């Protein structure tokens, strides 16, 4: 089972998200600093923007005659000069704001894209380091959602949205200071509704975040459902289950849709209430400043400033109300990404460092293993396979054969007992090095959407073309590859579709020939092969056997005539060991199993 590192899992705010991903943010700190500078400059310029209009209005209200300007008290100006200065100031401020906006948008986008690249790279690498047990318990579609759409939400949360909120916060502080400069009572009136706005947004935000968390979970399930159905299209069509799969997809989609509508309803209600409170605050400030102006204590330009600053200081609250669902999605997405990053990797669980030359002896000593607690698959399983020996492992379905094979490269960890290679416990080997010593060919050849040559060289990227072709010749697949238009450069479809089962298995076998590893494990590789393809495969495998330890899990030991020994498993233990002929004579369960297989073959 995968384990969480001991840290708080659930994130509740942008600050907690930023702290959780501080290492990734630190890597882009220079770009972030530039974006923050542009943001601060933009905030200051926005505060200055109403001043030219104030100057022009005050000048017009005062009529002709000389007057001073707020920033130039030692010099007098005519009305025409005042209007000209105000007009030029509007243009200059707009020009500076455009440059600040460009810097803020470009640098924020650059920081966001770089952050997403680094975080996605690390998450993808981390996913590959997680144990096979974790992946068996996880939905692949949900992991893909975390790598893609969740990542974009986090990027938008940590950079563009955060920068926008910082800008609005600066504008709010500066605007309040200038309102207090106009009049303390005006400033107090402006912030009077802030506690109500804070309580309202806080309560709604918590509700929206809970809804969004459920929605993102449903979207992960939705992606998994779609992935399962599309990847199993042949099964769906053969059983005429198109309508059933559509219903299954829509069932998940409806749940996500329902949560999305609920989040939208909460956000719309918040926006409505915020608009009412903001309008109330604006009315109060306008009434007070207008009264001061009529009393001769303020100018018409002060009314413009006051209303402009009220709009500016309330804008963050209104903006937050408009994007509360988006911010909540970003926080929940960050929570989901961090949840994966906190999972313990195989390297975290492994402390082995040894990298000795391996001959290939394998020892299982009283090994106990269970996929589910209390339901052991292996029960004190013990077996020794000598270096260079070929062993055929047979037994009924569920007897633990595949589990035995999976424990050697440490795809799973036993509950108790010990597994050793060359009499060294496998936990003492460096994990990557141990796996580099083992070739594994399964029932369905693991092929990727790469060229045939790249698939053969998978795990050995430095292999030359001559080595790749030599391995293909040994696996009896070279001639078939040459018949393809692009030969070794032919790019395979997903899972090697377009090739027969025998061709896919022989490509996987060519990989084993190329890597020349001391331990080779075959896990029922001929299950889906016809007799001719099966015979071709095992003839090639026999050529690979000399000098290697080979564990062959098969239904019929006669398919591996070159095996030195046959091991019969039953109920998670070794029930018999010997030659095929000897076990037929001496072991009734083995004879019964083999007889059933012969009968099945005869029927076909």
């Amino acid at each position: 089972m995968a384990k969480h590192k001991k840290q708080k899992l659930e994130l509740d705010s942008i600050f907690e998200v930023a702290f959780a991903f501080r290492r990734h943010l630190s890597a882009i700190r220079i770009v972030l600093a530039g974006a923050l500078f542009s943001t601060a400059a933009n905030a200051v310029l926005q505060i200055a923007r109403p001043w030219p209009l104030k100057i022009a209005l005050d000048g017009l209200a005062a009529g002709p005659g000389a007057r001073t300007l707020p920033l130039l008290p030692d010099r007098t100006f005519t009305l025409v000069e005042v209007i000209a200065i105000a007009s030029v100031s509007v243009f200059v401020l707009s020009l500076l704001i455009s440059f600040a906006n460009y810097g803020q948008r470009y640098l924020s986008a650059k920081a966001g894209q770089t952050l997403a690249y680094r975080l996605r790279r690390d998450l993808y690498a981390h996913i590959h380091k997680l144990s096979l047990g974790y992946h068996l318990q996880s939905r692949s579609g949900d992991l893909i959602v975390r790598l893609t759409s969740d990542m974009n939400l986090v990027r938008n949360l940590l950079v563009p949205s955060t920068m926008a909120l910082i800008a609005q916060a600066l504008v709010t502080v500066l605007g309040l200071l200038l309102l207090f400069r106009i009049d303390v009572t005006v400033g107090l009136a402006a912030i009077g509704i802030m506690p109500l706005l804070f309580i309202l947004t806080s309560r709604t935000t918590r509700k929206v975040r809970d809804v969004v968390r459920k929605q993102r979970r449903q979207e992960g399930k939705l992606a998994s459902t779609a992935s399962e159905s599309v990847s199993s299209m042949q099964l769906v069509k053969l059983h005429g289950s198109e309508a059933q799969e559509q219903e299954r997809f829509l069932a998940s989609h409806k749940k996500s849709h329902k949560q999305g509508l609920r989040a939208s309803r909460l956000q719309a209600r918040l926006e409505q209430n915020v608009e009412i409170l903001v309008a109330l605050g604006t009315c109060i400030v306008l009434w007070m400043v207008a009264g001061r102006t009529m009393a001769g204590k303020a100018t018409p330009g002060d009314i413009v400033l006051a209303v402009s600053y009220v709009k500016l200081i309330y804008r963050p609250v209104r903006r937050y109300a408009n994007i509360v669902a988006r911010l909540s999605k970003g926080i929940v997405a960050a929570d989901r990404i961090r949840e994966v990053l906190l999972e313990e990797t195989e390297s975290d669980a492994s402390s082995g460092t040894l990298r000795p030359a391996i001959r290939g002896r394998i020892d299982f000593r009283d090994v106990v293993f269970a996929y589910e607690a209390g339901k052991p698959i292996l029960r004190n399983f013990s077996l020794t396979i000598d270096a260079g020996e070929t062993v055929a492992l047979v037994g009924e379905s569920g007897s633990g054969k595949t589990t035995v094979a999976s424990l050697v490269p440490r795809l799973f960890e036993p509950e108790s007992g010990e597994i050793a290679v060359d009499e060294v416990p496998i936990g003492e080997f460096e994990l990557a090095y141990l796996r580099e010593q083992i070739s594994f060919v399964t029932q369905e050849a693991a092929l990727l959407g790469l060229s045939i040559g790249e698939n053969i060289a998978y795990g050995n990227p430095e292999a030359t073309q001559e080595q790749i072709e030599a391995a293909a010749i040994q696996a009896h697949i070279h001639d078939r590859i040459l018949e393809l238009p692009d030969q070794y450069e032919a790019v395979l479809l997903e899972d090697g579709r377009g090739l027969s089962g025998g061709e896919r298995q022989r490509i996987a076998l060519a990989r084993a020939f190329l890597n020349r590893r001391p331990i080779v494990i075959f896990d029922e590789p001929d299950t889906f092969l016809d007799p001719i393809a099966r015979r071709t495969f095992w003839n090639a495998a026999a050529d690979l056997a000399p000098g290697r330890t080979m564990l062959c899990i098969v239904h019929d030991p006669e398919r591996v005539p070159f095996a030195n020994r046959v091991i019969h498993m039953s109920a998670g233990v070794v029930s018999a060991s010997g030659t095929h002929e000897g076990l037929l004579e001496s072991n009734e369960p083995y004879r019964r199993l083999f007889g059933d297989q012969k009968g099945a073959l005869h029927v076909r």
Side-chain angles (χ1 to χ4, degrees), residues 94-111:
S94 297
L95 188 65
L96 292 175
I97 287 172
S98 71
F99 280 112
N101 272 331
Y102 173 80
Q104 179 182 342
R105 291 179 181 274
Y106 171 72
L107 292 176
S108 294
K110 181 178 180 180

Side-chain angles (χ1 to χ4, degrees), residues 9-201:
L9 283 178
E10 192 170 295
L11 302 173
D12 296 320
S13 67
I14 295 177
F15 303 106
E16 290 185 5
V17 173
F19 183 78
F21 297 109
R22 59 191 180 281
R23 181 172 62 86
H24 296 88
L25 290 172
S26 176
I28 56 172
R29 58 185 177 277
I30 295 177
V31 181
L32 280 176
L36 189 59
F37 175 79
S38 299
T39 299
N42 193 18
V44 173
L45 291 170
Q46 292 291 346
I47 288 295
R49 201 167 198 165
W51 277 87
L53 184 57
K54 167 186 163 54
I55 292 171
L57 286 177
D58 286 347
L60 291 171
R67 81 282 322 281
T68 60
L69 294 178
L71 297 178
L72 299 169
D74 299 330
R75 182 181 172 184
T76 58
F77 298 88
T78 66
L79 178 60
V80 173
E81 289 175 330
V82 169
I83 300 301
I85 290 172
S87 300
V88 172
S89 297
V90 169
F91 176 77
V92 172
L93 281 172
S94 297
L95 188 65
L96 292 175
I97 287 172
S98 71
F99 280 112
N101 272 331
Y102 173 80
Q104 179 182 342
R105 291 179 181 274
Y106 171 72
L107 292 176
S108 294
K110 181 178 180 180
Q113 294 291 344
T114 305
L115 173 69
Y117 169 79
R118 291 175 177 273
L119 187 54
R120 184 176 284 119
R121 175 198 63 190
D122 291 351
L123 178 61
Y124 190 68
H126 188 81
I127 287 174
H128 279 274
K129 293 177 183 177
L130 295 174
S131 69
L132 184 59
Y134 174 85
H135 288 285
L136 291 176
Q137 296 171 19
S138 302
R139 290 175 173 263
S140 58
D142 184 58
L143 286 177
I144 291 172
V145 169
R146 298 184 197 222
L147 270 169
T148 51
S149 62
D150 278 357
M151 193 66 66
N152 293 331
L153 290 171
V154 172
R155 178 196 68 195
N156 291 330
L157 171 73
L158 285 177
V159 184
S161 296
T162 300
M163 286 297 168
L165 290 176
I166 289 174
Q168 296 302 324
L170 287 173
V171 167
T172 298
V173 172
L174 294 174
L176 280 173
L177 290 175
L178 289 174
L179 279 178
F180 275 103
R181 181 178 176 274
I182 294 173
D183 186 79
V184 174
T185 56
V186 172
L188 291 173
I191 64 174
I193 66 169
M194 286 294 188
L196 291 175
L197 288 172
F198 178 77
I199 294 171
L200 183 64
T201 55

Side-chain angles (χ1 to χ4, degrees), residues 347 349-357 410 424-434:
S347 56
S350 174
S351 58
T353 58
L354 298 181
R355 298 172 59 91
R410 293 188 64 192
V424 177
I426 58 175
E428 296 183 12
F429 288 96
E430 182 182 298
L431 183 59
Y433 177 77
L434 173 67

